[in-house]
Amino acid sequence: MTNQRPDLRILSAAAWADHVADSLAGRFANDPGLRVCLPTGSTPVPVYDALPRALAGAGGSVGRSAIVLLDEYLDMPAGHPARCDTQLRRMLIDRLAPAPARFITFDVDGGDPVAACVALDAAIDAIGGLDLVLLGLGVNGHIGMNEPGTPAQAETRVVDLAPTTMTAAGRYGADPLPTRGVTLGMAEILAAREIWLLVSGARKAGILAGSLDGPITPDVPASLLRGHPGLRVIADDAAVSDLGA
Ligand code: PGA
């Protein structure tokens, strides 16, 4: 089991984003009520750029679907450009016509982040669970904001951010850098029917190899995904350069 490889799809850098966008558009075309959780960060940017055209090509729409945000920073004002909800709106939601029937985010502006986690899980339960979770891969192996040290049973919760995660928020203009966040838990991610781990660029080659070829351990939360029967890893050439044969 430890060395079992998941469904691994390797694309050229030029073809990678269109492949992911076309695959996702196909899911929306087959299941207009799709319930999908989406990440922010740099990895999905070209995928989201390609998605409106891919949806048109596939005859799909998000008009009856539910889109759930994977994670969110705490202690950042509403509308801040670094906020995950702002990012996903800008990168994707605002560019989709029709808009998704539901866009479910963490309500972190009410002053009670624990309640925001409870409410997010309740909203997912109310739509009947998640069909598909798309994920980026942190350079430290994190999944969402499930940082190294997170067991597979960890639920949706308030978390302290790892230094690399704080630094990443600075790329979007966060100042001061956030130190806390809320994230869909590993348990809720692993409860989804399908998981697609999106990995691009040489910067992720080492941690992708660690996640797929190394031990399954909370030290590398992405490695915990290997226990999921619906895991698909979609990587570009550069990201797989450290993988074993
Ligand atoms: P990136 O981050 O897509 O900005 O590289 C991924 C992550 O940290 O989850």
Side-chain angles (χ1 to χ4, degrees):
M1 146 126 179
T2 307
N3 293 318
Q4 191 184 330
R5 273 275 169 79
D7 174 353
L8 171 62
R9 306 194 176 192
I10 304 169
L11 286 300
S12 70
W16 179 84
D18 279 338
H19 175 87
V20 179
D22 289 341
S23 302
L24 183 56
R27 283 292 193 281
F28 282 114
N30 288 337
D31 179 2
L34 194 74
R35 300 156 298 188
V36 59
C37 179
L38 296 179
T40 55
S42 60
T43 302
V45 170
V47 173
Y48 297 155
D49 282 346
L51 191 59
R53 186 201 43 76
L55 281 168
S61 159
V62 301
R64 287 165 51 199
S65 75
I67 292 179
V68 179
L69 181 62
L70 176 64
D71 51 17
E72 185 58 274
Y73 299 112
L74 290 178
D75 314 311
M76 217 183 263
H80 192 291
R83 276 261 295 246
C84 298
D85 55 355
T86 316
Q87 283 191 49
L88 193 59
R89 280 202 176 85
R90 183 178 65 235
M91 291 196 292
L92 183 64
I93 305 291
D94 291 350
R95 296 153 72 181
L96 294 172
R102 301 281 315 274
F103 178 41
I104 298 170
T105 62
F106 289 90
D107 178 13
V108 291
D109 300 314
D112 186 346
V114 174
C117 292
V118 171
L120 186 99
D121 279 345
I124 292 173
D125 283 347
I127 59 174
L130 293 169
D131 298 304
L132 173 63
V133 178
L134 268 62
L135 299 168
L137 173 63
V139 286
N140 65 352
H142 79 188
I143 288 298
M145 291 176 185
N146 293 284
E147 302 285 14
T150 305
Q153 301 78 18
E155 298 181 334
T156 302
R157 69 204 182 285
V158 178
V159 291
D160 291 323
L161 301 180
T164 47
T165 310
M166 297 181 202
T167 310
R171 289 203 305 257
Y172 303 98
D175 182 16
L177 298 179
T179 60
R180 302 189 303 156
V182 282
T183 186
L184 193 66
M186 286 307 300
E188 287 75 14
I189 291 169
L190 291 167
R193 197 154 48 83
E194 274 189 281
I195 300 171
W196 294 356
L197 180 63
L198 312 182
V199 197
S200 61
R203 195 167 66 91
K204 300 291 174 66
I207 191 59
L208 182 60
S211 302
L212 299 188
D213 291 340
I216 294 179
T217 167
D219 294 342
V220 184
S223 71
L224 303 173
L225 302 174
R226 280 152 63 197
H228 193 288
L231 174 63
R232 177 186 298 186
V233 180
I234 312 175
D236 71 3
D237 287 331
V240 298
S241 55
D242 286 358
L243 284 186

